[in-house]
Amino acid sequence: MAQHARFHYASLDELKADIAKLGVNIPVSSNIGILGQPMKIGNSTVPNRLAITPMEGCDGTADGRPSELTRRRYRRFAEGGSGLLWFEATAVVDEGRANPRQLSIKEETTGDFAAMLQESLSVAKEAGYERPYTVLQLTHSGRYSNPGGSGPAPRVAALNPHLDSRFPSVYVMTDEDLERLEDRYVAAAVMAAEAGFDAVDIKNCHGYLLAELLSAHTREGRYGGSFENRTRLVCNIADKIKNKLGDKIALAVRLGVFDEVPYPYGWGVDRQDYHKPDFSEPAELLKLLWGKGVKLINISMGSPYYNPHLTRPYDVGAYLPPKHPLEGVERLLGAAKTLQAAVPDAAFMGVGLSWLRHFAPYIAAGCIEQGWFNLAGFGRQAFAYPEFAGDLLRKGAFDPAKTCLACSKCTTIMRDGGCTGCVPRDGAVYVPIYKKGREGKAPAESDRVAEHV
Ligand SMILES: Cc1cc2nc3c(=O)[nH]c(=O)nc-3n(C[C@H](O)[C@H](O)[C@H](O)COP(=O)(O)O)c2cc1C
Ligand code: SF4
């Protein structure tokens, strides 16, 4: 394990040298043309392999509609030429919103989602790009629900001695609550289809409700204990959506594959050493979901609330992880490799590329060339540099002056309760929000090192 280091590479050769020195398995290829190749998901075409993975802006209206700031984000994403736009976490019930500005899909807001989607597709067309594939991520924030913004209102899958003490009290959802929730996901999928999305993602990651159920070994009843019970909710939702909508909307899943919480509370972990992943159950679940018609998979790890470095390798964050960010990149890309092999025909998105800045395309190309995944997902890069795909496709490279700096300021805004976006690269909008959120608070780690950024 090598010590944490900040990004410091002046050339691809320097990055390659560090990859070799650290002994990490990260493929690099100069065949970046591969990123411009279209691919199919069912009968739909994804025009290129550069994709935007879901990025929540926490800027919806009080009743869950996209605001002008939300629409601005998706116009910028669409204008940037990415082949796939994965719209952010959207609550299926208001009590499951993570904050009072999280998007929420319901009868009253469906028209606003349709308008946002149509606007994004028109902008992509005007910019000369083929229609991107579009996915709406459906969520219930479970333990991290805070719908009123006045404090946590956790609704959990099971008691968890590692996490419960962070909350004054937790409500364990009953089997009846969960069964009712299945129908809310179906209703949300119906509305997403009406709005015109190509696919819905049944989100199962980052410690939210469905992810927590996957490791509910200690829960009693129909949704806990055995593998079949722990995966019942996501499987039932997939079956019910398929029964109701057939091919009117495709099914996608964003699956957390390793949460680094000790067994029997962790998922994707080695039962003896929870710091080590064990992908056997995530692989089994993906095969099951593939059989149920889930065509598109996007994987992630960890939780922004208790081990954010697993989710997003960074230069500066709430704490500095013990590992080098390249080891974090390797862990994310390697998980995609292992799990894509379990469902070889699925459209599979790998993530964790933003830390690599303008060298990311070479790593994305290497992974796609070697079959580790077939879509390269970018999160923070899209906040910082929404036209990254277009620049690669039209100019052959990312512009180093525009890339994400992995400074975690967008996460700091979120934690401070603001509407988020890129502070250094989209400063006219987000510097004032960042500063307002920081008023009266101790400096964030990212402020202390800002002079180096
Ligand atoms: C501000 C912010 C918002 C995010 N919102 C979501 C979200 O709505 N849904 C989700 O699955 N992941 C979300 N993520 C995680 C990203 O999709 C992505 O997995 C992570 O940032 C790592 O990819 P990257 O290295 O390209 O940034 C968010 C991350 C950040 C920093
Ligand atoms: S604030 Fe901008 S540069 Fe910093 S991590 Fe977020 S997207 Fe990247």
Side-chain angles (χ1 to χ4, degrees), residues 9 101 113 123 196 227 283 327 329 366 384 402 428:
Y9 307 107
R101 295 166 320 285
F113 279 86
V123 164
F227 177 80
E327 292 174 318
V329 171
K402 295 180 179 174

Side-chain angles (χ1 to χ4, degrees), residues 2 24 26 45 61 114 138 190 235 244 249 260 267 270 274 289 305 324 333 346 372 396 416:
V24 286
I26 297 180
T45 302
T61 63
L138 302 180
V190 169
C235 289
K244 178 89 182 177
I249 196 152
E260 210 182 15
W267 163 254
D270 182 289
Y274 73 97
L289 291 170
Y305 301 96
H324 194 287
L333 301 179
W372 287 25
D416 290 342

Side-chain angles (χ1 to χ4, degrees), residues 11-43:
S11 68
L12 184 59
D13 282 341
E14 278 187 22
L15 172 61
K16 280 187 187 163
D18 235 10
I19 289 175
K21 191 172 113 198
L22 295 171
V24 286
N25 187 9
I26 297 180
V28 184
S29 167
S30 55
N31 177 18
I32 50 172
I34 201 168
L35 300 172
Q37 288 179 3
M39 66 173 279
K40 286 277 189 196
I41 300 180
N43 291 326

Side-chain angles (χ1 to χ4, degrees), residues 4-297:
H4 182 274
R6 302 192 63 201
F7 184 95
H8 58 274
Y9 307 107
S11 68
L12 184 59
D13 282 341
E14 278 187 22
L15 172 61
K16 280 187 187 163
D18 235 10
I19 289 175
K21 191 172 113 198
L22 295 171
V24 286
N25 187 9
I26 297 180
V28 184
S29 167
S30 55
N31 177 18
I32 50 172
I34 201 168
L35 300 172
Q37 288 179 3
M39 66 173 279
K40 286 277 189 196
I41 300 180
N43 291 326
S44 305
T45 302
V46 184
N48 62 66
R49 306 304 180 92
L50 294 156
I52 296 186
T53 197
M55 290 295 286
E56 194 173 350
C58 308
D59 51 16
T61 63
D63 57 355
R65 299 169 206 270
S67 68
E68 171 45 30
L69 209 46
T70 322
R71 290 168 70 143
R72 172 184 184 266
R73 182 165 58 261
Y74 288 100
R75 284 198 299 272
R76 281 158 56 91
F77 287 175
E79 204 173 20
S82 291
L84 188 151
L85 306 180
W86 203 301
F87 287 67
E88 70 204 61
T90 298
V92 298
V93 285
D94 280 341
E95 70 194 27
R97 286 169 94 186
N99 62 68
R101 295 166 320 285
Q102 186 167 51
L103 299 184
S104 177
I105 190 155
K106 48 198 166 186
E107 225 169 277
E108 313 84 275
T109 63
T110 303
D112 300 81
F113 279 86
M116 171 173 66
L117 176 62
Q118 284 318 313
E119 185 180 46
S120 309
L121 295 176
S122 306
V123 164
K125 194 170 176 187
E126 278 161 30
Y129 295 110
E130 285 180 51
R131 186 190 189 285
Y133 191 86
T134 60
V135 187
L136 182 67
Q137 182 173 67
L138 302 180
T139 194
H140 184 301
S141 297
R143 180 174 291 277
Y144 301 103
S145 300
N146 183 0
S150 51
R155 300 177 71 77
V156 306
L159 294 176
N160 183 328
H162 304 283
L163 303 176
D164 291 346
S165 60
R166 299 170 183 214
F167 305 98
S169 66
V170 294
Y171 169 75
V172 182
M173 290 184 79
T174 64
D175 284 5
E176 292 67 36
D177 291 335
L178 294 178
E179 209 172 311
R180 273 194 298 276
L181 191 61
E182 290 176 2
D183 297 326
R184 295 299 308 163
Y185 272 84
V186 180
V190 169
M191 292 181 269
E194 265 168 43
F197 289 95
D198 296 308
V200 276
D201 160 22
I202 311 165
K203 180 180 187 180
N204 277 258
C205 58
H206 302 158
Y208 298 113
L209 182 68
L210 271 68
E212 235 188 28
L213 273 168
L214 298 177
S215 60
H217 294 275
T218 58
R219 184 186 167 100
E220 306 212 324
R222 296 197 300 281
Y223 295 92
S226 66
F227 177 80
E228 187 189 356
N229 284 356
R230 287 181 280 118
T231 58
R232 187 181 304 283
L233 191 75
V234 60
C235 289
N236 282 358
I237 293 170
D239 284 341
K240 286 184 176 181
I241 295 177
K242 207 72 197 153
N243 285 343
K244 178 89 182 177
L245 289 168
D247 290 334
K248 288 197 185 118
I249 196 152
L251 286 176
V253 162
R254 186 156 209 214
L255 182 67
V257 297
F258 172 55
D259 58 12
E260 210 182 15
V261 172
Y263 177 79
Y265 301 97
W267 163 254
V269 295
D270 182 289
R271 293 185 178 198
Q272 266 71 50
D273 176 2
Y274 73 97
H275 298 299
K276 276 201 224 147
D278 175 350
F279 296 134
S280 46
E281 284 204 338
E284 204 178 325
L285 176 58
L286 288 179
K287 283 186 210 162
L288 201 60
L289 291 170
W290 170 254
K292 292 179 183 299
V294 172
K295 292 275 177 285
L296 171 62
I297 291 155

Side-chain angles (χ1 to χ4, degrees), residues 330-342:
E330 177 196 40
R331 186 170 38 203
L332 281 161
L333 301 179
K337 176 189 180 197
T338 305
L339 292 160
Q340 165 89 82

Side-chain angles (χ1 to χ4, degrees), residues 53-57 87-90 102 137 201 203 205-206 254 298-300 311-313 332 351-355 377-381 383 404 410-411 414 420:
T53 197
M55 290 295 286
E56 194 173 350
F87 287 67
E88 70 204 61
T90 298
Q102 186 167 51
Q137 182 173 67
D201 160 22
K203 180 180 187 180
C205 58
H206 302 158
R254 186 156 209 214
N298 179 350
I299 59 158
S300 189
T311 317
R312 48 182 172 87
L332 281 161
V351 293
L353 296 158
S354 291
W355 184 82
F378 290 87
R380 293 162 295 170
Q381 194 71 275
F383 266 11
C404 169
C410 47
T411 309
M414 258 178 144
T420 196

